[in-house]
Amino acid sequence: MLRSVRRAIDRARISDPRYAFLFGDAPPDEVVAVDCETTGLNLRKDEIITIAAIRIRGDRILTSERFEALAKTDRKSAPEAIKVHGILDHDLQNGRPMREIMPELLHFVGSRPIVGYYTDFDVGMIDRYLLRLLRIHLPNKRIDVSSMYYQCKYRDAPDHLLIDLSFDSILKDLSIPAIPQHDASNDALMTAMIYLQLRDMLKRGVRIPRMRAGAVAEFGIGA
């Protein structure tokens, strides 16, 4: 309810009507997987340094329709963040300001639902720039693969059971090949693969066994 109210307010106060398409209808059966790497985990202070998005249409991941950008920021990455994504501050010398990147990202994403792993963090980071640019929050529907995974594996689980929603565990359970993580483009691709498998499982009512792993579906990757 709160999100729908905020969406209505944002729609009324958007500062540039050229971006009203964000509030329109999404193309049928299309979503977009989004991931970003940041200087840290503080939504109020940290900055995006890389961001990637890949469109999904039906059961296909459209690898030829991907967006990726390196951002230039004056904020230094926290040592803990560098250990995660391996991007040093001098690696950002060829980056572009987010005020240039954001319009391109918005046109790429459009009004499609956003798919992510703990989507609220990535969208929260995007919102910081969007508030400066258009005075709105990203209005797109959010789909979180960790919630889908929970439904497939831990729904109705006993209270004493340890809940593991880590990215690695999801990949292992779905038999998705691991490619180097904490790279925005790679993470967006793996998130798209996770989404398609879990969406298929939820449609068919298939559960993930809690004690063993296994592949459950076939899906296409291509343009």
Side-chain angles (χ1 to χ4, degrees), residues 7 18 37 51 53 55 60-61 72 75 79 90 97 105 124 127 152 161 167 174 187 197 200 208:
R7 177 186 170 93
R18 292 177 298 174
E37 300 298 329
I51 187 165
R55 288 177 181 161
R60 297 185 64 80
I61 301 170
K72 189 173 185 178
R75 184 173 178 81
H90 68 74
L105 176 69
D127 277 349
C152 284
L161 191 70
F167 203 72
L174 299 180
D187 287 359
Q197 283 220 28
D200 176 75
I208 298 173

Side-chain angles (χ1 to χ4, degrees), residues 3 6 12 20 26 28 65 85 89 108 114 116 127 129 131-133 140 145 148 156 168 189 194 203 213:
R3 189 165 292 168
R6 189 171 71 180
E65 296 184 21
H85 51 60
D89 293 327
F108 182 86
I114 302 289
D127 277 349
Y129 303 95
L131 283 166
R132 298 174 200 161
L133 179 68
N140 306 54
V145 296
M148 297 172 71
D156 302 328
D168 285 339
L189 175 60
I194 289 170
K203 282 182 180 177

Side-chain angles (χ1 to χ4, degrees), residues 198-210:
L198 292 176
R199 186 185 67 172
D200 176 75
M201 294 176 68
L202 289 170
K203 282 182 180 177
R204 295 188 292 117
V206 176
R207 302 291 299 271
I208 298 173
R210 293 184 189 132

Side-chain angles (χ1 to χ4, degrees), residues 5 12 29 65-66 72 74 76 78 86 91 94 114 122 138 141 149 165 171 177 179 186 192 208 223:
V5 171
D29 207 15
E65 296 184 21
R66 66 166 63 196
K72 189 173 185 178
D74 293 330
K76 304 293 185 184
D91 294 331
N94 296 323
I114 302 289
D122 293 301
L138 195 64
K141 178 183 176 182
Y149 177 70
L165 302 180
L171 293 174
I179 52 180
N186 287 350
I208 298 173

Side-chain angles (χ1 to χ4, degrees), residues 104-125:
E104 297 173 10
L105 176 69
L106 295 177
H107 281 95
F108 182 86
V109 171
S111 56
R112 297 168 181 82
I114 302 289
V115 176
Y117 176 69
Y118 288 102
T119 320
D120 284 351
F121 177 77
D122 293 301
V123 172
M125 293 298 298

Side-chain angles (χ1 to χ4, degrees), residues 9-201:
I9 294 173
D10 284 345
R11 188 170 193 166
R13 73 174 185 180
I14 187 169
S15 61
D16 188 339
R18 292 177 298 174
Y19 291 90
F21 64 84
L22 293 171
F23 296 91
D25 295 330
D29 207 15
E30 286 194 23
V31 298
V32 58
V34 174
D35 186 83
C36 58
E37 300 298 329
T38 64
T39 58
L41 299 177
N42 190 319
L43 282 170
R44 294 185 176 183
K45 298 179 179 178
D46 283 306
E47 303 281 352
I48 291 174
I49 53 176
T50 61
I51 187 165
I54 300 178
R55 288 177 181 161
I56 303 166
R57 182 175 301 140
D59 293 328
R60 297 185 64 80
I61 301 170
L62 305 181
T63 52
S64 66
E65 296 184 21
R66 66 166 63 196
F67 175 90
E68 186 172 10
L70 180 70
K72 189 173 185 178
T73 174
D74 293 330
R75 184 173 178 81
K76 304 293 185 184
S77 290
E80 296 79 10
I82 294 175
K83 288 179 182 177
V84 171
H85 51 60
I87 301 173
L88 301 174
D89 293 327
H90 68 74
D91 294 331
L92 305 177
Q93 292 178 348
N94 296 323
R96 294 185 292 146
M98 281 300 292
R99 64 177 181 275
E100 293 182 9
I101 294 172
M102 190 57 61
E104 297 173 10
L105 176 69
L106 295 177
H107 281 95
F108 182 86
V109 171
S111 56
R112 297 168 181 82
I114 302 289
V115 176
Y117 176 69
Y118 288 102
T119 320
D120 284 351
F121 177 77
D122 293 301
V123 172
M125 293 298 298
I126 293 171
D127 277 349
R128 288 189 51 206
Y129 303 95
L130 200 51
L131 283 166
R132 298 174 200 161
L133 179 68
L134 299 175
R135 297 174 54 205
I136 65 170
H137 304 81
L138 195 64
N140 306 54
K141 178 183 176 182
R142 305 176 190 183
I143 302 172
D144 196 308
V145 296
S146 67
S147 296
M148 297 172 71
Y149 177 70
Y150 178 89
Q151 289 297 316
C152 284
K153 185 166 184 175
Y154 294 110
R155 185 182 59 203
D156 302 328
D159 292 340
H160 66 271
L161 191 70
L162 178 64
I163 305 297
D164 179 3
L165 302 180
S166 66
F167 203 72
D168 285 339
S169 292
I170 297 175
L171 293 174
K172 183 178 179 182
D173 268 349
L174 299 180
S175 297
I176 292 175
I179 52 180
Q181 294 182 33
H182 304 298
D183 169 286
S185 183
N186 287 350
D187 287 359
L189 175 60
M190 289 187 285
T191 299
M193 297 166 75
I194 289 170
Y195 166 74
L196 287 179
Q197 283 220 28
L198 292 176
R199 186 185 67 172
D200 176 75
M201 294 176 68

